[in-house]
Amino acid sequence: QSILFQATITNQNEWDEMLLTKGVVVVDVYQAWCGPCIAVVNLFRKLKNEFSEDDVLHFAVAEANSIETLQPLRNRCEPVFLFCVNGKIIAMVRGANAPLISKKITELVQEEREIVAGQKERPEVCSQKKRYLNINEYFYYNLMVSLKARDSVFYSIIQRIKDDGFEIAMQKEINLSEEQAREFYKEHENEDYFPFLLEQMTNGPTLVLALTRENAVAHWRNLLGPKTIEEAKKENPNSLRAQYAVDNIPINQLHGSSSPNDAQKELEFFFPQEHTLALIKPDAAKKHKDDIMQKVKDAGFTISKIKEEALTREMATKFYKDHEGKPFFEELVALMTEGPSVVMVLTKENAVQEWRQLMGPTDPEVAKESSPESIRAQFAQDILSNAVHGSSTREHALESIECIFGEIDID
Ligand SMILES: Nc1ncnc2c1ncn2[C@@H]1O[C@H](COP(=O)(O)OP(=O)(O)OP(=O)(O)O)[C@@H](O)[C@H]1O
């Protein structure tokens, strides 16, 4: 029996057409053997009437088996409601949870009206192509956790994360190779589910986020909810796993580090940190220290160590040993020892190369042409007095850090 206000989507073409609909489309995804969800029809009719003035809200039913896009939702024993806006699935509710569906629809309709009226910008949503996007969330601050999920729920999950007071400190999208996935889940390699886990971790891009918050690991585990979807639904229906997890292998899409130590290790795996030695030369330290420090921070470096100290002749000679004998060598050593330099250990992924990029070419005249935003373009006086120094390789960095700070063990 057809329900007139709901469009019926019977194949992939019709699904693709539906995505062109302006406004909010709520799709009841059903399985052939049980048909569309009767429980919510009255709610939908009521909402359709309530929001009838501008044709912003639409309803549809779609059978999971007949539409390729819905492949991940096949063989579920409960209805799934997808919310599509502007050609993208931006949220999903599992189960005939009327209050939640009603809340979601009201929010989306209101937001869509604000966007149409130009009062709000359309939020960025992940591309539809990445149907199997995994998200790994790493919450660190002593602690870290991870989460993977499909992109249909990506937007809602990010919102929950923010609503829960987490901040995204670092993020990266990577395609894990099988080797990396094996390495990452080494402790699980003897488990029956290991092949599924490998498959799941390598079948699409993974978005890795490092999130910070007080007590982040425990808080994240709480937000995730119990391990299996069934337990999560029973014990913590608001948890991310209850709401968004799709597959139910022992380690499902939503995953979190189990301890602060784990978090540290996982963080290191996804965001390997490098150190470099950076130095603001004495004349620039006198004139432009604050501006240069601001650029360091804006570029996302962590200042792991810092001190202000005049280099001794011995240190300066060691630093620039490759230039010994060159015409400018004596002048260079004099410049480097004339007063206190700001010496720092900067930490970031690819720190050595990134700091050299931020410094710019040796000669400020060249820097002004090729890298006008660089430190040397903006603060260097000339090729000799060129504001900053940076290690040229990882090995040099470790050597110089040891020479200046007496240790290479940096927290
Ligand atoms: N032709 C030159 N004339 C005068 N001084 C120079 C000249 N070339 C290099 N220098 C000085 O020697 C330093 C080391 O030179 P190098 O070629 O290693 O440059 P860099 O790697 O860009 O800078 P740094 O090693 O200080 O990070 C330069 O920072 C600059 O102060």
Side-chain angles (χ1 to χ4, degrees):
Q1 187 191 346
S2 75
I3 300 155
L4 286 176
F5 72 96
Q6 286 178 307
T8 305
I9 304 169
T10 57
N11 57 44
Q12 186 67 37
N13 278 347
E14 287 176 7
W15 176 267
D16 294 340
E17 255 169 53
M18 177 280 292
L19 288 176
L20 300 175
T21 312
K22 291 234 161 4
V24 179
V25 188
V26 183
V27 187
D28 170 3
V29 179
Y30 67 92
Q31 312 299 327
W33 47 266
C34 66
C37 180
I38 305 295
V40 292
V41 167
N42 282 339
L43 170 73
F44 286 178
R45 197 173 279 125
K46 177 173 154 274
L47 288 168
K48 181 82 185 158
N49 281 336
E50 239 168 66
F51 296 118
S52 62
E53 74 213 62
D54 52 5
D55 201 31
V56 70
L57 178 62
H58 310 271
F59 290 94
V61 295
E63 192 233 303
N65 262 325
S66 56
I67 297 155
E68 183 53 29
T69 302
L70 302 179
Q71 191 258 332
L73 301 177
R74 286 175 194 165
N75 303 321
R76 311 270 146 192
C77 54
E78 61 179 358
V80 172
F81 299 91
L82 297 179
F83 300 78
C84 308
V85 179
N86 200 33
K88 302 213 165 72
I89 303 168
I90 65 159
M92 175 170 88
V93 169
R94 299 151 51 83
N97 182 340
L100 189 63
I101 296 171
S102 172
K103 181 165 167 272
K104 195 84 232 163
I105 292 176
T106 309
E107 274 169 17
L108 289 175
V109 166
Q110 268 159 9
E111 186 176 43
E112 194 55 20
R113 283 178 174 165
E114 283 168 30
I115 293 168
V116 170
Q119 293 156 352
K120 194 175 174 182
E121 287 219 4
R122 190 173 294 287
E124 289 245 338
V125 193
C126 264
S127 137
Q128 252 307 106
K129 282 189 211 122
K130 296 182 204 149
R131 292 223 328 267
Y132 292 97
L133 179 76
N134 297 319
I135 307 167
N136 277 341
E137 299 281 358
Y138 287 92
F139 295 71
Y140 88 129
Y141 206 73
N142 285 338
L143 331 151
M144 179 169 79
V145 247
S146 75
L147 129 83
K148 303 190 288 112
R150 292 177 205 284
D151 73 334
S152 56
V153 295
F154 173 81
Y155 180 75
S156 325
I157 293 177
I158 294 293
Q159 198 53 51
R160 286 282 302 272
I161 286 165
K162 290 184 177 159
D163 290 347
D164 258 64
F166 289 101
E167 272 184 39
I168 301 175
M170 292 189 273
Q171 80 175 66
K172 169 193 266 185
E173 196 177 303
I174 60 169
N175 280 298
L176 280 185
S177 66
E178 190 182 322
E179 201 187 339
Q180 285 171 313
R182 276 183 188 282
E183 169 64 23
F184 188 69
Y185 283 114
K186 231 182 5 224
E187 315 74 286
H188 301 270
E189 72 191 343
N190 295 324
E191 306 289 348
D192 295 346
Y193 57 78
F194 191 62
F196 296 101
L197 187 56
L198 280 189
E199 214 281 312
Q200 193 201 26
M201 291 305 293
T202 53
N203 74 1
T206 294
L207 181 74
V208 189
L209 303 178
L211 303 187
T212 61
R213 210 209 102 110
E214 201 193 340
N215 204 12
V217 166
H219 199 87
W220 173 244
R221 294 195 74 78
N222 192 38
L223 185 62
L224 271 184
K227 258 203 151 65
T228 65
I229 298 174
E230 286 71 29
E231 278 172 316
K233 285 192 164 166
K234 212 155 74 196
E235 290 163 30
N236 189 353
N238 277 328
S239 66
L240 292 177
R241 278 182 177 141
Q243 303 257 323
Y244 302 113
V246 184
D247 290 339
N248 208 5
I249 62 171
I251 298 180
N252 58 35
Q253 304 90 339
L254 298 152
H255 159 67
S257 308
S258 44
S259 68
N261 271 349
D262 237 35
Q264 214 55 43
K265 267 201 310 216
E266 292 177 358
L267 190 59
E268 181 55 32
F269 179 90
F270 283 109
F271 301 98
Q273 299 289 293
E274 188 175 77
H275 306 297
T276 192
L277 187 95
L279 181 147
I280 309 179
K281 297 185 180 184
D283 57 334
K286 227 189 291 174
K287 289 186 247 161
H288 305 294
K289 181 182 154 191
D290 291 346
D291 291 329
I292 295 176
M293 297 297 285
Q294 192 57 50
K295 279 185 102 66
V296 168
K297 286 179 198 150
D298 291 348
F301 289 98
T302 302
I303 302 170
S304 300
K305 285 187 189 288
I306 181 164
K307 66 177 169 185
E308 291 195 39
E309 185 176 280
L311 296 190
T312 61
R313 189 182 160 83
E314 193 195 345
M315 277 170 165
T317 311
K318 201 167 167 186
F319 252 63
Y320 288 118
K321 60 178 188 291
D322 293 348
H323 297 288
E324 227 166 335
K326 290 193 181 159
F328 57 84
F329 183 71
E330 278 309 318
E331 250 187 299
L332 179 61
V333 171
L335 177 109
M336 296 300 288
T337 53
E338 74 182 14
S341 294
V342 179
V343 202
M344 297 173 279
V345 174
L346 300 184
T347 304
K348 198 183 179 195
E349 223 178 320
N350 279 328
V352 171
Q353 209 193 333
E354 289 206 13
W355 171 242
R356 292 194 67 79
Q357 215 166 336
L358 187 62
M359 290 198 303
T362 315
D363 184 346
E365 293 314 314
V366 178
K368 278 176 200 158
E369 286 294 313
S370 65
S371 336
E373 291 302 313
S374 66
I375 293 175
R376 283 169 170 166
Q378 295 182 350
F379 305 110
Q381 211 171 294
D382 51 46
I383 188 168
L384 176 74
S385 195
N386 61 0
V388 278
H389 159 80
S391 310
S392 46
T393 63
R394 217 183 157 131
E395 292 66 40
H396 277 169
L398 295 177
E399 245 174 61
S400 318
I401 291 168
E402 198 171 15
C403 169
I404 303 260
F405 290 96
E407 53 177 331
I408 47 170
D409 185 20
I410 297 150
D411 307 324

